[in-house]
Amino acid sequence: MSFYEQHRGFVEEVLRTAPDGVRVEWSGDTLIVQAAPSSIHQLNLGLVQRQFERHAPDGYMLSGNSALTTPDVTKERTPDLTYLPITSLAREGNTTLAEEALVAGEVVSPSNPGNDWVDKLRDYAVMGIPLYLIVDPREGVVTLFSEPNRDRYHVRHDRKFGDGMRIPDPFDFDLDLNALVRYPD
């Protein structure tokens, strides 16, 4: 029996009562509660989102607050950025199957970088999300993972803030990293 099945009432109550700006996710047997992101986090996310928006495939829409689930591997994650079919966003409920997502994007938190670099890297690959983009303002790097094979991503591309990064199909564009801002030391 999964964590969610064992603690369904508790998880649903936490989701229902969490204050605005608090994100609740779970991975296996771990419940993750995170505070609202900083202004630099939001700025970098917005700069990346604008560029993705201009290249989104027809029938897909940006979503920053959709919980992606894969019940067979007992995971639920809410990426900072994802693109989902408009038809899936039109369904009732607050979760979407992860297999419908084209990309998951995260801006690394200075207080919990392991969540994005380790836990979500593992989870998004297992969930079968084709592209995972990490923007890390601590280090001034952007990393794109692709080709998941149900255990890990098999391709990794790293670029520094100020460079450019090719985003493959179905977006097919060069992501400009010039305006991204690092966290203060």
Side-chain angles (χ1 to χ4, degrees):
M1 184 177 287
S2 73
F3 173 86
Y4 182 77
E5 291 166 336
Q6 290 175 359
H7 305 285
R8 176 174 304 209
F10 172 72
V11 171
E12 288 175 355
E13 182 66 13
V14 169
L15 291 169
R16 188 182 68 71
T17 61
D20 287 343
V22 172
R23 181 183 290 176
V24 180
E25 303 175 332
W26 75 82
S27 176
D29 291 341
T30 303
L31 189 66
I32 301 131
V33 180
Q34 296 177 317
S38 71
S39 295
I40 290 175
H41 177 285
Q42 292 301 94
L43 171 64
N44 287 328
L45 179 60
L47 292 168
V48 170
Q49 283 178 345
R50 280 184 178 175
Q51 295 179 68
F52 268 86
E53 190 61 29
R54 291 191 295 264
H55 302 280
D58 288 340
Y60 284 82
M61 185 173 182
L62 169 72
S63 179
N65 292 308
S66 290
L68 303 179
T69 61
T70 306
D72 62 324
V73 292
T74 65
K75 297 193 184 308
E76 179 177 304
R77 291 296 194 162
T78 307
D80 291 332
L81 171 146
T82 191
Y83 276 81
L84 298 167
I86 292 169
T87 55
S88 71
L89 291 170
R91 285 182 271 190
E92 183 145 349
N94 59 357
T95 62
T96 302
L97 291 174
E99 65 192 31
E100 296 181 329
L102 297 178
V103 62
E106 300 288 355
V107 177
V108 175
S109 162
S111 63
N112 190 11
N115 189 38
D116 296 318
W117 280 108
V118 178
D119 302 335
K120 289 184 180 184
L121 176 60
R122 175 199 61 233
D123 290 351
Y124 289 149
V126 169
M127 295 166 89
I129 298 172
L131 302 172
Y132 177 34
L133 183 74
I134 300 176
V135 177
D136 192 340
R138 298 167 318 122
E139 303 295 327
V141 297
V142 176
T143 301
L144 179 67
F145 293 94
S146 61
E147 297 185 27
N149 190 12
R150 289 299 194 196
D151 64 341
R152 66 184 180 87
Y153 285 99
H154 292 274
V155 177
R156 174 181 175 154
H157 296 283
D158 297 286
R159 298 291 183 270
K160 293 181 179 178
F161 283 18
D163 292 342
M165 172 177 276
R166 186 75 188 155
I167 305 297
D169 285 336
F171 297 96
D172 193 32
F173 75 101
D174 292 318
L175 180 64
D176 182 357
L177 310 178
N178 279 310
L180 297 177
V181 176
R182 292 185 67 157
Y183 293 134
D185 290 331

